[in-house]
């Protein structure tokens, strides 16, 4: 059976840390492919201004274009209503039958999972690849879900160190600081050409 990783996020902008996470998840979990899914109208970021979906999609296409096992899906970008992870997984379960799905999230997102829309249904529909940091306490994280009828299928990838975030990169870009260490050259050129951030 084919194994597909789904990597959702705002990707505002996509940076080398995102690509590294996808590469590690693919290798560690023997995935056939990783599909990046930029969020359209994320419910948890209603108070924040994010770059236009078309720009975030284009940057992802540039960052992943040379990597055959990386794909980008525009399904969430096209949606006008709020994007919920449970609907995303339903979409891919219908689209990719005979495929085992793995939802790639950070340990902080797993901690907040009980606040997500229909999180219990989401838990039963997919496997989770959890990107953990050195300070992540796995047992206390999983204890949050111990009362659930069926245990979560979570696979932890330990000690992934990403020394940058999209928020920090946006601040650096605004201040004119050098971001070449963190951004693919084609993405940086796109940001400059379109005067993003």
């Amino acid at each position: 059976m084919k194994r597909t990783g789904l990597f959702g996020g705002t990707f505002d902008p996509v940076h080398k840390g995102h690509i590294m996470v996808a590469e590690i998840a693919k290798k560690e979990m023997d995935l056939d492919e990783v599909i990046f899914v930029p969020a359209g109208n994320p419910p948890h970021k209603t108070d924040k201004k994010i770059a236009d979906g078309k720009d975030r999609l284009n940057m992802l296409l540039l960052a992943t274009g040379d990597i055959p096992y990386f794909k980008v899906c525009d399904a969430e970008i096209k949606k006008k209503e709020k994007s919920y992870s449970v609907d995303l997984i339903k979409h891919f379960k219908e689209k990719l039958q005979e495929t085992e799905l793995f939802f790639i999230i950070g340990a902080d997102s797993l901690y907040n999972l009980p606040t997500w829309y229909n999180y219990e249904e989401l838990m039963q529909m997919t496997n989770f690849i959890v990107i953990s940091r050195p300070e992540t306490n796995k047992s206390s994280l999983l204890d949050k879900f111990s009362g659930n009828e069926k245990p979560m299928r979570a696979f932890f990838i330990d000690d992934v160190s990403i020394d940058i975030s999209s928020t920090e990169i946006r601040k650096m870009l605004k201040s004119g600081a050098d971001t070449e260490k963190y951004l693919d050259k084609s993405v940086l050129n796109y940001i400059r050409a379109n005067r993003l951030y």
Side-chain angles (χ1 to χ4, degrees):
M1 185 180 275
K2 191 174 181 181
R3 294 161 67 89
T4 294
L6 300 175
F7 191 4
T10 314
F11 302 114
D12 188 26
V14 58
H15 55 71
K16 290 180 180 178
H18 292 130
I19 302 301
M20 181 184 79
V21 163
E23 290 279 11
I24 292 170
K26 181 190 182 298
K27 182 181 176 187
E28 293 287 318
M29 295 302 299
D30 194 26
L31 303 176
D32 295 291
E33 62 182 0
V34 174
I35 302 175
F36 291 78
V37 189
N41 184 11
H44 59 290
K45 297 204 176 181
T46 51
D47 59 334
K48 296 180 184 174
K49 186 179 185 303
I50 59 176
D52 185 77
K54 182 180 157 196
D55 288 319
R56 291 183 288 114
L57 181 72
N58 287 338
M59 287 188 282
L60 267 170
L61 289 167
L62 288 168
T64 61
D66 294 334
I67 307 169
Y69 45 82
F70 285 170
K71 295 178 182 170
V72 180
C73 172
D74 64 358
E76 297 289 287
I77 293 285
K78 288 179 174 176
K79 285 172 76 172
K80 298 297 178 202
E81 64 272 19
K82 280 191 171 72
S83 301
Y84 294 104
S85 297
V86 67
D87 296 327
L88 174 70
I89 299 300
K90 283 178 184 173
H91 167 80
F92 278 102
K93 281 183 88 68
E94 288 173 16
K95 186 179 176 184
L96 303 177
Q97 296 182 17
E98 304 302 315
T99 300
E100 189 171 10
L101 297 178
F102 294 81
F103 194 37
I104 302 168
I105 63 173
D108 52 342
S109 293
L110 182 64
Y111 182 83
N112 292 317
L113 194 68
T115 67
W116 292 18
Y117 176 72
N118 280 0
Y119 88 95
E120 290 179 320
E121 183 181 4
L122 174 65
M123 279 174 48
Q124 302 312 317
M125 290 169 58
T126 187
N127 304 294
F128 289 85
I129 298 175
V130 184
I131 308 300
S132 64
R133 301 187 179 214
E135 68 273 14
T136 301
N137 185 326
K138 289 183 228 174
S139 58
S140 68
L141 254 181
L142 292 174
D143 281 348
K144 289 176 73 79
F145 307 98
S146 60
N148 288 68
E149 198 174 315
K150 289 184 183 175
M152 163 185 284
R153 295 181 306 280
F155 303 90
F156 285 82
I157 296 178
D158 295 329
D159 302 346
V160 178
S161 181
I162 303 168
D163 60 352
I164 196 64
S165 72
S166 293
T167 303
E168 289 164 20
I169 289 171
R170 290 195 302 272
K171 287 178 185 171
M172 291 173 73
L173 288 164
K174 277 180 186 171
S175 69
D178 183 14
T179 56
E180 287 191 24
K181 177 181 173 185
Y182 305 111
L183 295 171
D184 182 273
K185 194 169 184 180
S186 62
V187 171
L188 183 54
N189 289 340
Y190 183 92
I191 289 169
R192 287 171 175 163
N194 292 276
R195 297 182 178 180
L196 303 181
Y197 314 117

